[in-house]
Every structure is written in structure tokens, then in C-alpha cells.
Amino acid sequence: MELLDCRGLACPQPVMRSRDALSGGADALEVLVDNEPARENVKRFLEGRGFTVAVTQEGPDCWRVSAAAGAEAPAPQPAAQEAPATVCGNRTLVLITTETIGRGDDALGAKLMGNFLATLPELGQRLWRVILINGGVKLASCPGPALDALKKLEAEGVSVLVCGTCLAHFGLLEAKTVGDTSNMLDIVTSLDLAGKVIRP
């Protein structure tokens, strides 16, 4: 079993080190991380590669993510960075960096954002992924029309990625109720694979 000490590493380094270990042939890993976003991102990454994953907390700021390949592991799911360009090349990604649209009146901006998200299904099958970063992560955590619209999008098969570092910054890790906690590697790769990026 290979041990990766990723404590003190910023996003997305723990995921990238885990990816590199798997590329080197590792079939069992233990990854030490010191923050909740890294814990969630490494866990999701390894599960997406078909590993059976267990997480144990070893201190107030230390988690051990243990992963092993085996017959009982689920079939590997392709990650964003492995998706064929022919599949995602005609897909639309929406990048949201704040909880409102426009400047001048925050109440109006919040209403516009709710309406924007509720209207996204009009894109049909082209709508592939919604990414929430910076203040945009508040949309995945705070009750209201925007959260309801995101839940509906996710239920309809749209991938919703929520920046884990941003959630931690705003103290919203436990409040997130929609989407997958993600990292900058997933975000950059998604932007690269998208055929079109919309930023309201």
C-alpha cells in the first residue's frame, strides 16, 4: 500500500498526487489530508476510478483516505478529464462565480440568478455541467429559488460541481445540499472539454 502525505497541500494537489500514484501502477493507497474539501475530493476521485474507499479521522485536522482496488469495487466511472472530446465537445458548461447577476441591487440580482438557473433547461441536451466557484457556491447552500433550480437540474442529469475550497472559505461545507464537492483540477479540465462556456 502506497502512503501519500498530502497534509498542507492546496487544492487540487492531493487529487493530482493520487492520480499520479494510480498512473504509476498503485492498486492500494492511503492518502493523508488536513482539510475537508481535500478529503471529499480525494474520496470522490478514487471512487470514480473504481476503488473501494474508507475514510477515518485521525485528529481534529487529519483524515486518512484508504482505497483499494478489488473484485467488489464498483466499475470505474470516467472522470471529467477522461471524457472523450467527441462526447463533450458539443456540450455547454455554465460557470457561476457569484450568487447574483449584475450590479446595483442584490435583491434584484438574486431574483435574476434564480430565473437564469430555472431557464437553463431550455438548452436541452447541450447543457452538460454547472460549476459554482467563489460566491457562486452559496447558491448550493442557501434555500431559495436558485437552490431549487439547481436541484432540478441535477435531477435531470446535469452535473453540478461545487468548489470545495470556496465552500470551506465561506463555512458552507456542511450546508451544501446539491452538487459534488469538487476541486480546481476538475474545474480546469471541464472548462477545457466544454464546447461552449456561459458565464452570467
Side-chain angles (χ1 to χ4, degrees):
M1 174 153 321
E2 186 169 346
L3 175 65
L4 302 178
D5 189 347
C6 295
R7 291 173 292 184
L9 297 181
C11 167
Q13 293 301 316
V15 172
M16 294 173 73
R17 288 197 56 197
S18 300
R19 178 199 62 191
D20 293 344
L22 297 186
S23 297
D27 61 359
L29 284 179
E30 286 193 338
V31 185
L32 296 176
V33 295
D34 60 3
N35 61 82
E36 292 182 38
R39 178 196 69 196
E40 290 302 311
N41 285 322
V42 170
K43 178 179 181 287
R44 186 170 60 86
F45 171 79
L46 292 169
E47 286 175 340
R49 295 301 188 280
F51 283 73
T52 300
V53 179
V55 178
T56 54
Q57 188 164 3
E58 300 193 343
D61 292 310
C62 183
W63 290 267
R64 182 180 300 267
V65 182
S66 303
E72 301 199 7
Q77 298 296 314
Q81 57 264 35
E82 295 178 349
T86 56
V87 173
C88 296
N90 63 345
R91 301 284 175 91
T92 298
L93 180 148
V94 179
L95 178 66
I96 298 177
T97 62
T98 183
E99 68 270 31
T100 62
I101 292 180
R103 295 182 180 179
D105 186 291
D106 286 345
L108 174 60
K111 183 176 181 180
L112 292 173
M113 181 61 78
N115 291 343
F116 174 81
L117 291 170
T119 307
L120 283 178
E122 294 299 316
L123 295 176
Q125 294 298 313
R126 290 175 294 153
L127 182 58
W128 167 49
R129 178 162 287 165
V130 175
I131 295 178
L132 307 174
I133 61 173
N134 206 326
V137 302
K138 295 176 184 178
L139 299 172
S141 310
C142 302
L147 179 60
D148 295 341
L150 285 170
K151 287 181 176 178
K152 183 176 179 184
L153 287 169
E154 188 174 53
E156 293 174 355
V158 176
S159 169
V160 178
L161 299 184
V162 187
C163 171
T165 299
C166 305
L167 285 167
H169 175 79
F170 290 111
L172 295 173
L173 279 166
E174 299 300 322
K176 178 183 71 74
T177 59
V178 66
D180 292 316
T181 302
S182 192
N183 59 76
M184 199 54 69
L185 179 61
D186 282 346
I187 293 168
V188 169
T189 304
S190 297
L191 289 166
D192 182 48
L193 292 174
K196 179 187 289 186
V197 176
I198 296 174
R199 183 175 170 185

